[in-house]
Amino acid sequence: MSDDLFSNQLDGERRDGTAASGAMAPLAVRMRPRTLEEVRGQGDVLKPGSPLRRLIEGQSGAAGPMSAILWGPPGTGKTTLAHLAAGSADRRFVELSAITAGVKDVRQAMEEAGRHLAMYGRSTVLFLDEIHRFSKAQQDALLPGVENRTVILVAATTENPSFSVIAPLLSRSVLVTLKSLDDEQVAAVIASALADERGFAGAFTLADDARDHLVRMAGGDARRALTALEAAAGVTTDAGGSEISLASVEQAMAAAAVRYDRAGDQHYDVSSALIKSMRGSDVDAALHYLARMLEAGEDPRFIARRIVIAASEDIGMADPTALQTAVAAMHAVAQIGMPEARIILGQAVVHNCLAPKSNAAYSAINAAIADVRAGRGGAVPPHLRGTGYAGATQLGHGAGYRYTHDEPSGVGPQQFLPDDLVADADYYAPTARGWEERLGERWRSLRATIRGQVPGSGVAERAPS
């Protein structure tokens, strides 16, 4: 149900010695599930026989219980599951936070775990919250205890472990991916808090529209739902009532917290969704993701740079003005800043969405680079080589070069590619979309003339202006 708000109630104190808060604890703490049956959601990772369920139920393999890394959004039950893993098999529970703990704390916890295992045969669950905040050296300090199974490490992270957890630790642990709760599960959490003796024990009722608003604003986060419910109950109490209304909930939730972590994988997920929505021409979706990034405090200059890249990669010559708009927006955002920068970014996003799409220029440079990396492309033809230094003429540089402006139509037959690419280099393939449709006709004519396929004909077509 919830994560780091929960105090350690198994041994009566945390690693730092602070006592469990009991009846004065926040609602989200009091309502933490005490058994697997009370856990909402996570059915896929808690099904019978799954590694996490076996760990919680105290079952071990031949070499002993495996450590686990729990990866998921806030409010999905990472801390709860760690407590259950300790309590169900009468294990010691030690909790550290990567925000405040250091290598010294980790080593001390390992030493204590080793003593308890040797003297009493009692294993220790070491719960490490926000492991992604640990440096490589700090994570390295965990390896001996995990490898020797001196401790059962249960580490929680909201960031992709592939990027934030060292490979040796990942290989020695079971990776468990937790998911946000669905609306029905969040509603069940709220209903339980209203009725349970650990919660409000029936002291409050909740209006249907207020419940729907709580569920919607929670965004799959059980802790957020319970925290908001508790705040709304306080507003209702102050007003002398017992029914929590929509107005009370709205007053308690002044604004929705945006689910976006600028330092984690959500940063990449949401920015990727923005790019793909612009590519797919969905203005509404692109503006939604832009709004999420802005409301989360993302650097508007980062957003502007992504829009510039998209204008060239996904639109290109189908609408050359999209790049002009994007570059202008990038410079304007740097000069103006928020909140007005949102207007400029919005305009650039809309332009990118509505513009005809072509990745022909993007594909062309990639194809050319692929040939170069494959070793194709011989010497520069002699007639194209530089002549601005002593001895160049004697080497034959520039001999036979045809000056383009002397051609009647401004272009004539001439070899520009290295010898080994003349026959099959064909990188740029214009689409029939937008402005590029006209450019396609021109390039086909130019190419035929340059390659000598239409000897002496020249190109009568005027370049687009």
Side-chain angles (χ1 to χ4, degrees), residues 326-360:
V327 170
M330 181 175 63
H331 289 301
V333 164
Q335 295 297 320
I336 294 172
M338 289 293 288
E340 289 81 2
R342 76 190 189 283
I343 307 169
I344 300 161
L345 292 172
Q347 178 182 344
V349 164
V350 170
H351 191 151
N352 272 11
C353 286
L354 298 181
K357 304 298 188 293
S358 170
N359 70 343

Short mmCIF file of all heavy atoms in Angstrom, two decimals, residues 326-360:
data_model
loop_
_atom_site.label_atom_id
_atom_site.label_comp_id
_atom_site.label_asym_id
_atom_site.label_seq_id
_atom_site.Cartn_x
_atom_site.Cartn_y
_atom_site.Cartn_z
N ALA A 326 10.77 25.90 -34.64
CA ALA A 326 11.36 25.23 -33.47
C ALA A 326 12.62 25.94 -33.00
O ALA A 326 12.82 26.13 -31.79
CB ALA A 326 11.65 23.77 -33.82
N VAL A 327 13.48 26.33 -33.93
CA VAL A 327 14.71 27.02 -33.55
C VAL A 327 14.38 28.38 -32.93
O VAL A 327 14.98 28.78 -31.92
CB VAL A 327 15.64 27.18 -34.76
CG1 VAL A 327 16.82 28.10 -34.43
CG2 VAL A 327 16.16 25.81 -35.21
N ALA A 328 13.43 29.09 -33.52
CA ALA A 328 13.02 30.37 -32.96
C ALA A 328 12.46 30.18 -31.55
O ALA A 328 12.74 30.98 -30.64
CB ALA A 328 11.97 31.03 -33.86
N ALA A 329 11.70 29.10 -31.35
CA ALA A 329 11.14 28.82 -30.03
C ALA A 329 12.26 28.53 -29.03
O ALA A 329 12.21 28.97 -27.87
CB ALA A 329 10.18 27.64 -30.10
N MET A 330 13.26 27.78 -29.45
CA MET A 330 14.37 27.45 -28.56
C MET A 330 15.08 28.71 -28.08
O MET A 330 15.38 28.86 -26.89
CB MET A 330 15.36 26.53 -29.28
CG MET A 330 16.54 26.10 -28.42
SD MET A 330 17.62 24.88 -29.24
CE MET A 330 18.21 25.85 -30.64
N HIS A 331 15.34 29.64 -28.99
CA HIS A 331 16.00 30.89 -28.60
C HIS A 331 15.09 31.76 -27.74
O HIS A 331 15.54 32.37 -26.77
CB HIS A 331 16.45 31.65 -29.84
CG HIS A 331 17.60 31.00 -30.57
ND1 HIS A 331 18.81 30.76 -29.98
CD2 HIS A 331 17.69 30.52 -31.85
CE1 HIS A 331 19.61 30.16 -30.86
NE2 HIS A 331 18.96 30.00 -31.99
N ALA A 332 13.81 31.79 -28.08
CA ALA A 332 12.87 32.61 -27.31
C ALA A 332 12.72 32.09 -25.89
O ALA A 332 12.68 32.86 -24.93
CB ALA A 332 11.51 32.66 -28.01
N VAL A 333 12.65 30.77 -25.75
CA VAL A 333 12.50 30.17 -24.42
C VAL A 333 13.70 30.51 -23.54
O VAL A 333 13.56 30.81 -22.35
CB VAL A 333 12.31 28.64 -24.55
CG1 VAL A 333 12.55 27.95 -23.22
CG2 VAL A 333 10.91 28.32 -25.05
N ALA A 334 14.89 30.48 -24.15
CA ALA A 334 16.11 30.78 -23.38
C ALA A 334 16.11 32.22 -22.89
O ALA A 334 16.65 32.52 -21.82
CB ALA A 334 17.34 30.51 -24.24
N GLN A 335 15.49 33.12 -23.65
CA GLN A 335 15.47 34.53 -23.29
C GLN A 335 14.33 34.89 -22.34
O GLN A 335 14.47 35.77 -21.50
CB GLN A 335 15.35 35.39 -24.57
CG GLN A 335 16.53 35.29 -25.50
CD GLN A 335 17.83 35.80 -24.88
OE1 GLN A 335 17.83 36.80 -24.17
NE2 GLN A 335 18.93 35.10 -25.13
N ILE A 336 13.23 34.17 -22.47
CA ILE A 336 12.01 34.57 -21.74
C ILE A 336 11.82 33.77 -20.46
O ILE A 336 11.52 34.31 -19.40
CB ILE A 336 10.77 34.42 -22.65
CG1 ILE A 336 10.87 35.43 -23.79
CG2 ILE A 336 9.48 34.63 -21.87
CD1 ILE A 336 9.81 35.27 -24.85
N GLY A 337 11.98 32.44 -20.53
CA GLY A 337 11.77 31.61 -19.36
C GLY A 337 10.30 31.39 -19.05
O GLY A 337 9.41 31.90 -19.73
N MET A 338 10.08 30.64 -17.98
CA MET A 338 8.71 30.33 -17.55
C MET A 338 8.16 31.49 -16.72
O MET A 338 8.92 32.24 -16.12
CB MET A 338 8.71 29.05 -16.72
CG MET A 338 8.98 27.81 -17.55
SD MET A 338 7.65 27.44 -18.71
CE MET A 338 6.38 26.86 -17.57
N PRO A 339 6.82 31.69 -16.70
CA PRO A 339 5.80 30.79 -17.26
C PRO A 339 5.45 31.08 -18.72
O PRO A 339 4.76 30.30 -19.36
CB PRO A 339 4.59 31.07 -16.36
CG PRO A 339 4.74 32.50 -15.99
CD PRO A 339 6.22 32.74 -15.83
N GLU A 340 5.91 32.22 -19.27
CA GLU A 340 5.51 32.58 -20.63
C GLU A 340 6.06 31.61 -21.67
O GLU A 340 5.52 31.48 -22.77
CB GLU A 340 5.95 34.00 -20.95
CG GLU A 340 5.18 35.08 -20.23
CD GLU A 340 5.68 35.31 -18.80
OE1 GLU A 340 6.66 34.64 -18.40
OE2 GLU A 340 5.09 36.14 -18.09
N ALA A 341 7.17 30.93 -21.32
CA ALA A 341 7.77 30.00 -22.28
C ALA A 341 6.80 28.90 -22.69
O ALA A 341 6.93 28.31 -23.76
CB ALA A 341 9.04 29.38 -21.69
N ARG A 342 5.81 28.62 -21.83
CA ARG A 342 4.85 27.57 -22.15
C ARG A 342 4.09 27.90 -23.43
O ARG A 342 3.73 27.00 -24.21
CB ARG A 342 3.86 27.38 -20.99
CG ARG A 342 2.79 28.46 -20.90
CD ARG A 342 1.97 28.41 -19.63
NE ARG A 342 0.83 29.31 -19.68
CZ ARG A 342 0.90 30.63 -19.51
NH1 ARG A 342 2.07 31.22 -19.31
NH2 ARG A 342 -0.20 31.36 -19.58
N ILE A 343 3.84 29.20 -23.67
CA ILE A 343 3.08 29.62 -24.86
C ILE A 343 3.89 29.34 -26.12
O ILE A 343 3.38 28.82 -27.10
CB ILE A 343 2.74 31.12 -24.76
CG1 ILE A 343 2.05 31.43 -23.43
CG2 ILE A 343 1.88 31.56 -25.93
CD1 ILE A 343 1.93 32.91 -23.13
N ILE A 344 5.17 29.68 -26.06
CA ILE A 344 6.05 29.49 -27.21
C ILE A 344 6.23 28.01 -27.51
O ILE A 344 6.16 27.57 -28.66
CB ILE A 344 7.40 30.16 -26.93
CG1 ILE A 344 7.19 31.66 -26.70
CG2 ILE A 344 8.38 29.93 -28.06
CD1 ILE A 344 8.32 32.35 -25.98
N LEU A 345 6.45 27.22 -26.45
CA LEU A 345 6.59 25.78 -26.64
C LEU A 345 5.31 25.16 -27.19
O LEU A 345 5.36 24.27 -28.05
CB LEU A 345 6.97 25.12 -25.31
CG LEU A 345 8.37 25.44 -24.77
CD1 LEU A 345 8.53 24.89 -23.36
CD2 LEU A 345 9.45 24.88 -25.68
N GLY A 346 4.17 25.64 -26.70
CA GLY A 346 2.90 25.14 -27.21
C GLY A 346 2.74 25.40 -28.69
O GLY A 346 2.28 24.53 -29.45
N GLN A 347 3.13 26.59 -29.14
CA GLN A 347 3.03 26.91 -30.57
C GLN A 347 3.93 25.99 -31.39
O GLN A 347 3.52 25.48 -32.45
CB GLN A 347 3.43 28.36 -30.82
CG GLN A 347 3.40 28.75 -32.30
CD GLN A 347 3.84 30.19 -32.53
OE1 GLN A 347 3.88 30.99 -31.60
NE2 GLN A 347 4.16 30.52 -33.77
N ALA A 348 5.16 25.79 -30.93
CA ALA A 348 6.09 24.93 -31.66
C ALA A 348 5.58 23.49 -31.73
O ALA A 348 5.72 22.82 -32.76
CB ALA A 348 7.47 24.99 -31.02
N VAL A 349 5.01 23.00 -30.62
CA VAL A 349 4.46 21.65 -30.60
C VAL A 349 3.30 21.52 -31.58
O VAL A 349 3.21 20.53 -32.33
CB VAL A 349 4.02 21.27 -29.17
CG1 VAL A 349 3.10 20.05 -29.18
CG2 VAL A 349 5.24 20.98 -28.30
N VAL A 350 2.42 22.48 -31.59
CA VAL A 350 1.28 22.44 -32.51
C VAL A 350 1.77 22.44 -33.96
O VAL A 350 1.26 21.69 -34.81
CB VAL A 350 0.33 23.64 -32.25
CG1 VAL A 350 -0.70 23.74 -33.36
CG2 VAL A 350 -0.35 23.47 -30.90
N HIS A 351 2.78 23.29 -34.27
CA HIS A 351 3.32 23.33 -35.63
C HIS A 351 3.87 21.95 -36.01
O HIS A 351 3.58 21.43 -37.11
CB HIS A 351 4.43 24.39 -35.72
CG HIS A 351 4.88 24.67 -37.12
ND1 HIS A 351 5.37 25.89 -37.53
CD2 HIS A 351 4.90 23.90 -38.24
CE1 HIS A 351 5.69 25.85 -38.81
NE2 HIS A 351 5.42 24.64 -39.26
N ASN A 352 4.65 21.35 -35.12
CA ASN A 352 5.20 20.03 -35.42
C ASN A 352 4.12 18.99 -35.65
O ASN A 352 4.23 18.13 -36.51
CB ASN A 352 6.11 19.57 -34.28
CG ASN A 352 7.54 20.03 -34.44
OD1 ASN A 352 7.84 20.87 -35.28
ND2 ASN A 352 8.43 19.51 -33.62
N CYS A 353 3.06 19.07 -34.86
CA CYS A 353 1.98 18.09 -34.99
C CYS A 353 1.26 18.22 -36.33
O CYS A 353 0.96 17.22 -36.99
CB CYS A 353 0.97 18.25 -33.85
SG CYS A 353 1.55 17.66 -32.26
N LEU A 354 0.96 19.43 -36.73
CA LEU A 354 0.13 19.66 -37.91
C LEU A 354 0.91 19.62 -39.21
O LEU A 354 0.31 19.52 -40.29
CB LEU A 354 -0.60 21.01 -37.78
CG LEU A 354 -1.56 21.13 -36.60
CD1 LEU A 354 -2.25 22.49 -36.60
CD2 LEU A 354 -2.61 20.02 -36.63
N ALA A 355 2.22 19.71 -39.15
CA ALA A 355 3.04 19.71 -40.37
C ALA A 355 3.02 18.34 -41.03
O ALA A 355 2.93 17.31 -40.34
CB ALA A 355 4.48 20.09 -40.02
N PRO A 356 3.11 18.29 -42.37
CA PRO A 356 3.27 16.99 -43.04
C PRO A 356 4.58 16.36 -42.60
O PRO A 356 5.53 17.06 -42.26
CB PRO A 356 3.28 17.37 -44.52
CG PRO A 356 3.65 18.81 -44.57
CD PRO A 356 3.10 19.42 -43.31
N LYS A 357 4.61 15.03 -42.59
CA LYS A 357 5.76 14.34 -42.01
C LYS A 357 6.63 13.68 -43.09
O LYS A 357 6.13 13.11 -44.05
CB LYS A 357 5.29 13.26 -41.02
CG LYS A 357 4.39 13.78 -39.90
CD LYS A 357 5.10 14.80 -39.03
CE LYS A 357 4.30 15.19 -37.80
NZ LYS A 357 3.07 15.93 -38.11
N SER A 358 7.94 13.77 -42.88
CA SER A 358 8.89 13.06 -43.72
C SER A 358 10.18 12.84 -42.93
O SER A 358 10.70 13.77 -42.32
CB SER A 358 9.21 13.85 -44.99
OG SER A 358 10.31 13.26 -45.67
N ASN A 359 10.66 11.62 -42.95
CA ASN A 359 11.96 11.34 -42.33
C ASN A 359 13.01 11.06 -43.40
O ASN A 359 14.03 10.43 -43.15
CB ASN A 359 11.86 10.17 -41.36
CG ASN A 359 11.63 8.84 -42.07
OD1 ASN A 359 11.24 8.81 -43.23
ND2 ASN A 359 11.87 7.74 -41.38
N ALA A 360 12.76 11.56 -44.63
CA ALA A 360 13.66 11.27 -45.75
C ALA A 360 15.06 11.84 -45.50
O ALA A 360 16.06 11.17 -45.78
CB ALA A 360 13.08 11.83 -47.05
#
